[in-house]
């Protein structure tokens, strides 16, 4: 069967939501996203539950542990499992974070890369290798960060553009991550957004975050989306058109109907922009 690509507004596919989703998916949800590491090779009841949804909805694979900027050899076994999983479920889009996340073992966080020419060439080569294994172009997501690696030779937006152009891959745009970084490091999120290679945008994330007592923003995906993030999403659509967009929610789940309202808000913003 041909692969199915996402359109419109979607929602992260989480086991905690399954009981409600099996009773009925909100009308605004047109696709789902999952982490292939959490589902590939799964059998039994979980596999049957997943299949009942992939037969009816397009899905996106959003990786968590490929570590495209890391120093250890790229996990081609994971990529091959992901490729087979995507083929089984007719999934046409895979994205990953522009970060590194392993050393002696898998790390808890997605860590930022130094904005250097050497890091551009290294990371782009690994993305090209991943694309060769998967047999498709992939989307690379701008990541949230809490430290700035030393030795920068370019700004972060320029680094993202350089990696994506060198790898000839696509941009997975996360507008919440832009706001988190902008508030934590004191830059203009709209200016940063416009400096990205938006012409290569294939997919967008929107999510909520947590604010610490000292004002630090933490990218948690555990709260409703706030108005400044919605404003960034609307601005992104001015440049990209109504690119498929997923609402991320990883914990602190409200009733499914409330998540459906946030997904519906994505769809309303999309409806204001013509396709590119």
């Amino acid at each position: 069967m041909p692969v199915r690509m996402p359109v419109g507004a979607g929602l992260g596919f989480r086991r905690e939501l399954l009981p409600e989703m099996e009773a009925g998916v909100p009308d605004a949800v047109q696709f789902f996203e999952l982490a292939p590491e959490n589902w590939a090779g799964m059998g039994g009841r979980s596999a049957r539950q997943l299949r009942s949804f992939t037969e009816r909805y397009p899905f996106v694979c959003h990786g968590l542990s490929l570590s495209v900027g890391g120093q250890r050899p790229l996990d081609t076994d994971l990529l091959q499992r992901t490729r087979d999983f995507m083929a089984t479920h007719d999934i046409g889009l895979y994205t990953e974070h522009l970060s590194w996340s392993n050393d002696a073992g898998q790390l808890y966080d997605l860590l930022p890369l130094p904005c250097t020419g050497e890091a551009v060439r290294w990371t782009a080569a690994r993305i090209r290798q991943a694309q060769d294994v998967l047999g498709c172009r992939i989307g690379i997501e701008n990541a949230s960060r809490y430290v700035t690696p030393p030795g920068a030779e370019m700004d972060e937006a320029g680094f993202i553009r350089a990696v994506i152009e060198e790898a000839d891959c696509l941009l997975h745009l996360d507008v919440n991550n832009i706001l988190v970084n902008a508030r934590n490091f004191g830059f203009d999120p709209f200016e940063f957004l416009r400096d990205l290679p938006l012409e290569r945008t294939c997919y967008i994330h929107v999510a909520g975050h947590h604010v610490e007592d000292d004002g630090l923003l933490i990218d948690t995906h555990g709260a409703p989306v706030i108005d400044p993030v919605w404003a960034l999403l609307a601005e992104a659509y001015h440049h990209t058109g109504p690119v498929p967009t997923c609402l991320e929610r990883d914990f602190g789940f409200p009733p499914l109907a409330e998540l459906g309202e946030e997904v519906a808000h994505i769809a309303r913003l999309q409806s204001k922009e013509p396709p590119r």
Side-chain angles (χ1 to χ4, degrees):
M1 292 179 62
V3 298
R4 291 177 295 170
M5 299 298 288
V7 295
L11 179 64
F13 192 77
R14 303 292 182 264
R15 286 184 174 85
E16 293 88 344
L17 298 175
L18 272 172
E20 284 189 277
M21 292 197 303
E22 288 178 326
V25 174
D27 291 341
V29 177
Q30 294 182 270
F31 69 88
F32 289 101
E33 173 195 286
L34 53 68
E37 295 94 331
N38 294 337
W39 292 92
M42 188 73 65
R45 183 168 181 264
S46 292
R48 292 192 297 272
Q49 287 177 308
L50 174 61
R51 191 60 176 169
S52 72
F53 283 90
T54 61
E55 288 175 343
R56 292 179 289 147
Y57 293 91
F59 270 66
V60 173
C61 279
H62 180 54
L64 301 174
S65 57
L66 190 58
S67 193
V68 296
Q71 294 296 303
R72 295 177 64 82
L74 204 62
D75 190 344
T76 55
D77 288 341
L78 171 62
L79 286 168
Q80 289 165 356
R81 291 196 303 274
T82 300
R83 179 192 62 201
D84 295 343
F85 176 80
M86 292 173 68
T88 297
H89 294 282
D90 310 315
I91 297 172
L93 180 61
Y94 173 88
T95 73
E96 248 291 359
H97 306 83
L98 184 57
S99 64
W100 64 281
S101 59
N102 61 32
D103 191 10
Q106 194 67 27
L107 304 177
Y108 178 74
D109 285 316
L110 300 169
L111 301 175
L113 301 172
C115 295
T116 65
E118 181 181 8
V120 167
R121 293 185 292 274
W122 173 262
T123 305
R126 289 163 65 86
I127 293 171
R128 290 195 301 270
Q129 182 186 0
Q131 293 184 142
D132 287 343
V133 176
L134 290 173
C136 63
R137 296 168 90 194
I138 68 176
I140 294 298
E141 181 185 3
N142 57 292
S144 56
R145 61 185 172 90
Y146 307 99
V147 296
T148 300
E153 299 169 357
M154 61 193 82
D155 62 26
E156 184 182 4
F159 175 73
I160 294 169
R161 176 178 289 277
V163 169
I164 286 174
E165 291 180 350
E166 178 80 10
D168 191 22
C169 65
L170 303 171
L171 173 65
H172 171 176
L173 177 65
D174 190 313
V175 291
N176 180 63
N177 288 353
I178 292 176
L179 186 76
V180 166
N181 292 350
R183 294 279 178 86
N184 289 343
F185 293 97
F187 61 80
D188 182 338
F190 290 91
E191 182 178 338
F192 183 94
L193 172 71
R194 291 188 289 267
D195 285 342
L196 292 173
L198 297 177
E199 69 280 1
R200 288 183 179 253
T201 307
C202 65
Y203 189 57
I204 298 178
H205 268 170
V206 65
H209 55 257
H210 171 72
V211 183
E212 295 280 276
D213 292 340
D214 61 1
L216 180 73
L217 270 59
I218 306 294
D219 177 33
T220 58
H221 309 165
V225 180
I226 65 171
D227 287 343
V229 175
W230 289 127
L232 269 179
L233 180 62
E235 175 66 18
Y237 288 150
H238 290 331
H239 301 274
T240 67
V243 172
T245 302
C246 179
L247 172 69
E248 291 188 290
R249 191 64 176 259
D250 291 341
F251 69 95
F253 296 101
L256 182 60
E258 291 185 25
L259 294 178
E261 280 301 311
E262 287 192 286
V263 177
H265 189 63
I266 295 171
R268 287 192 290 272
L269 293 177
Q270 290 174 325
S271 70
K272 297 178 180 180
E273 296 293 337
R276 297 292 187 266

